[in-house]
Amino acid sequence: RQAIALQERALEALEATRRDLGVRVHREFRSMTEGVVRIGALQQAVYSAEQAVLSNRKSFQAGSRTTLDVLNAEQQKTKAMRNKNKARYLYLVSRLRLQSLAGDERQAIVVQANQALAP
């Protein structure tokens, strides 16, 4: 009886671990796919902020904008770039976790991470 009870407990622990792994894989996969969309949107935000900076600089040279307007546009551009880089980081972390959960080779994961971090 004791052996049967131990076997059942081990099977239940195995099933709980399998379910936990499934949930973690699903969470990381979803985070990764959402990250792709977020990065694209933030890339567009960076482009828009760059255009706003150019526009404010030209308007400043023409005399219709102040230095503060130009600095605010630069600040918005910097925030957009920071947000995009943070999204890239979160995407990369999710991707690494997913690959780790899937049992990919560690050396290959490190090589891919280094390539993703290269400018």
Side-chain angles (χ1 to χ4, degrees), residues 62-80:
S64 64
R65 293 281 184 179
T66 65
T67 306
L68 184 60
D69 294 329
V70 175
L71 291 176
N72 284 338
E74 288 282 352
Q75 183 179 29
Q76 290 301 318
K77 176 184 164 191
T78 303
K79 283 182 184 179

Side-chain angles (χ1 to χ4, degrees), residues 36-70:
V36 170
V37 173
R38 187 176 306 120
I39 290 168
L42 290 170
Q43 179 60 43
Q44 183 61 42
V46 168
Y47 177 75
S48 296
E50 288 171 347
Q51 294 302 311
V53 167
L54 290 174
S55 173
N56 277 303
R57 283 185 181 166
K58 288 181 180 181
S59 296
F60 174 73
Q61 290 172 351
S64 64
R65 293 281 184 179
T66 65
T67 306
L68 184 60
D69 294 329
V70 175

Side-chain angles (χ1 to χ4, degrees), residues 1-60:
R1 288 184 200 178
Q2 185 178 5
I4 292 172
L6 287 174
Q7 181 185 15
E8 286 181 18
R9 188 172 1 162
L11 289 173
E12 288 173 6
L14 177 64
E15 181 63 21
T17 302
R18 188 186 68 74
R19 287 181 182 171
D20 180 56
L21 179 62
V23 167
R24 290 171 57 196
V25 166
H26 178 72
R27 182 180 341 124
E28 296 304 332
F29 179 76
R30 203 173 99 222
S31 179
M32 206 178 94
T33 55
E34 289 173 357
V36 170
V37 173
R38 187 176 306 120
I39 290 168
L42 290 170
Q43 179 60 43
Q44 183 61 42
V46 168
Y47 177 75
S48 296
E50 288 171 347
Q51 294 302 311
V53 167
L54 290 174
S55 173
N56 277 303
R57 283 185 181 166
K58 288 181 180 181
S59 296
F60 174 73

